[in-house]
Amino acid sequence: WQKAAQHKQKLEQDKTMAELAMLKAQINPHFFFNSLNSIYSLTYTNIEDSRGALHTLSRMMRYLLYSTEGERTTLLKEADFMRDFIALMKLRANSKLTITTDIPEKIHDYPIVPMLLLPLVENAFKHGVHATDKSEIHIKLRQKENNLEFEVENTYKEKTSTTDHGGIGLTNTKRRLHLIYPNNHIMTCGVDQNGKYKVNLQITLEQ
């Protein structure tokens, strides 16, 4: 009986790891296709900026290839990666888009699951930017020891329902949180009283 229980537990662990690998694989191509399309568009308007963007993207690719192979990376590296992504997106932002970020330079480093926060930022750019109207994206990270709070707020387009607003990125993030931090996270998302779409994630990180 004991051997059977251990075998069942091992199968569940293997299944979880396989599912996490699949979810991560879904995120990475999704991100790179979006980034390459952004840089391609930029080549038509500013060659120098597009070269800088390619350099930023290569740095991000290096991080993904060599720093996210394991189950954990570090919060500091994830924050740097996210800054690069935001800088890349700013290059192609239209004049009607306002982007504000509040990500501390000094971060207490803790292990964290790779590519956990980025899909929330991606969704804001994907779903919250109007082509002709004014749009806003606000990104904030707060940390108190091993307690992390990450918040993304963006303009809400009414034609997009709250059920499909997040798409694959938000769905995968919720699934990964459920698998890895089942009792150590709180995540809320929806339209707030100001008419903005807000995602708030709180995680207790482990050493």
Side-chain angles (χ1 to χ4, degrees):
W1 176 86
Q2 189 176 19
K3 287 183 178 180
Q6 291 174 346
H7 180 65
K8 182 180 180 181
Q9 184 179 14
K10 180 65 166 57
L11 288 176
E12 286 297 323
Q13 290 175 344
D14 290 345
K15 179 182 177 183
T16 299
M17 292 306 300
E19 188 168 358
L20 289 173
M22 181 187 69
L23 292 174
K24 184 182 171 186
Q26 283 180 311
I27 293 172
N28 290 353
H30 172 68
F31 161 70
F32 279 114
F33 280 130
N34 284 353
S35 299
L36 287 171
N37 284 335
S38 299
I39 295 173
Y40 177 77
S41 299
L42 191 61
T43 61
Y44 284 95
T45 57
N46 193 314
I47 292 295
E48 287 302 315
D49 281 352
S50 66
R51 288 173 179 170
L54 280 173
H55 180 71
T56 299
L57 184 61
S58 69
R59 182 168 60 239
M60 298 168 78
M61 290 178 69
R62 192 177 303 114
Y63 167 71
L64 284 176
L65 287 172
Y66 301 114
S67 299
T68 66
E69 293 179 342
E71 297 177 27
R72 297 289 189 274
T73 183
T74 70
L75 180 59
L76 188 60
K77 291 179 179 179
E78 279 287 289
D80 286 340
F81 182 82
M82 192 157 46
R83 289 190 189 96
D84 279 342
F85 174 82
I86 296 168
L88 195 65
M89 297 305 292
K90 281 182 177 179
L91 290 176
R92 69 180 294 254
N94 61 47
S95 59
K96 294 183 179 295
L97 175 61
T98 300
I99 304 170
T100 61
T101 59
D102 186 1
I103 302 174
E105 289 294 331
K106 294 183 179 180
I107 292 176
H108 300 290
D109 223 1
Y110 282 89
I112 192 172
V113 177
M115 296 287 283
L116 185 68
L117 305 179
L118 184 76
L120 307 182
V121 179
E122 270 195 290
N123 282 335
F125 283 97
K126 182 178 179 181
H127 297 287
V129 178
H130 289 273
T132 56
D133 299 333
K134 289 184 178 181
S135 307
E136 297 178 15
I137 295 175
H138 307 290
I139 300 163
K140 181 172 65 177
L141 187 148
R142 287 283 181 269
Q143 182 188 28
K144 186 176 181 180
E145 296 180 350
N146 65 328
N147 294 311
L148 179 70
E149 181 178 7
F150 187 64
E151 187 172 275
V152 181
E153 184 183 59
N154 59 268
T155 308
Y156 173 63
K157 294 187 286 188
E158 293 184 5
K159 64 180 181 180
T160 306
S161 71
T162 56
T163 56
D164 65 1
H165 180 92
I168 186 174
L170 190 56
T171 300
N172 282 357
T173 299
K174 288 179 177 179
R175 182 61 178 153
R176 296 178 83 198
L177 286 165
H178 175 72
L179 289 171
I180 304 167
Y181 303 104
N183 302 310
N184 292 321
H185 82 278
I186 300 173
M187 183 173 179
T188 59
C189 53
V191 182
D192 65 16
Q193 59 184 5
N194 297 318
K196 303 286 180 60
Y197 192 89
K198 181 185 290 185
V199 179
N200 183 281
L201 172 61
Q202 299 176 45
I203 311 176
T204 301
L205 301 175
E206 302 173 349
Q207 286 282 14

